[in-house]
Amino acid sequence: MNFGGKISYKDPNRTSKHLFFNHTLNISDILRPLVINTEEYGQKWSEASFEKKQRVPSSLKNCQELSKKAEDWLRLYPVDIIGTKVIFAGTVMQCGMCLLHVNCGGDEIELSIKSNNRLLNDALMKQCVTVFS
């Protein structure tokens, strides 16, 4: 994800100057844990408009290892571990939320992401593939 902008200013000689910038961000730079319980997660899951799913090969041994990695690298809150399923919640600067459901059985994991923003889903999925592979 990239963001850019332009800063306009006047130097000491009162000449107008412009500075353009462009910076690359990882989704984890703007994600923060969203502390909710399982019931709230279910409600938010049904309210979210966009869903993205993908299967990813993974060398992670169990759900606890996956949960720790998601907490540390993606800054997502581990809401609950239910058998071979783990659910996570995150927020983007306290205004948007994203939910991640992971089925971690075998040598591949199944990721489902839901939010109200398609671009957020795409960015989080890309980061998940990198972190969990």
Side-chain angles (χ1 to χ4, degrees), residues 44-51 97 114-118 121:
K44 290 182 182 301
W45 185 268
S46 62
E47 293 170 359
S49 307
F50 299 104
E51 183 172 12
M97 61 99 189
K114 282 192 93 171
S115 76
N116 290 325
N117 185 307
R118 183 166 293 158
N121 285 6

Side-chain angles (χ1 to χ4, degrees), residues 24-56:
T24 302
L25 285 177
N26 287 322
I27 189 68
S28 58
D29 292 333
I30 59 172
L31 270 179
R32 297 295 177 264
L34 177 62
V35 181
I36 57 175
N37 62 36
T38 307
E39 185 178 315
E40 292 168 313
Y41 182 94
Q43 181 182 2
K44 290 182 182 301
W45 185 268
S46 62
E47 293 170 359
S49 307
F50 299 104
E51 183 172 12
K52 186 168 184 85
K53 292 183 175 192
Q54 188 171 336
R55 289 182 176 271
V56 178

Side-chain angles (χ1 to χ4, degrees), residues 89-117:
T91 183
V92 178
M93 302 165 85
Q94 281 84 37
C95 62
M97 61 99 189
C98 58
L99 305 170
L100 173 62
H101 178 277
V102 183
N103 189 348
C104 49
D107 57 351
E108 73 175 9
I109 56 175
E110 184 178 328
L111 305 167
S112 297
I113 298 170
K114 282 192 93 171
S115 76
N116 290 325
N117 185 307

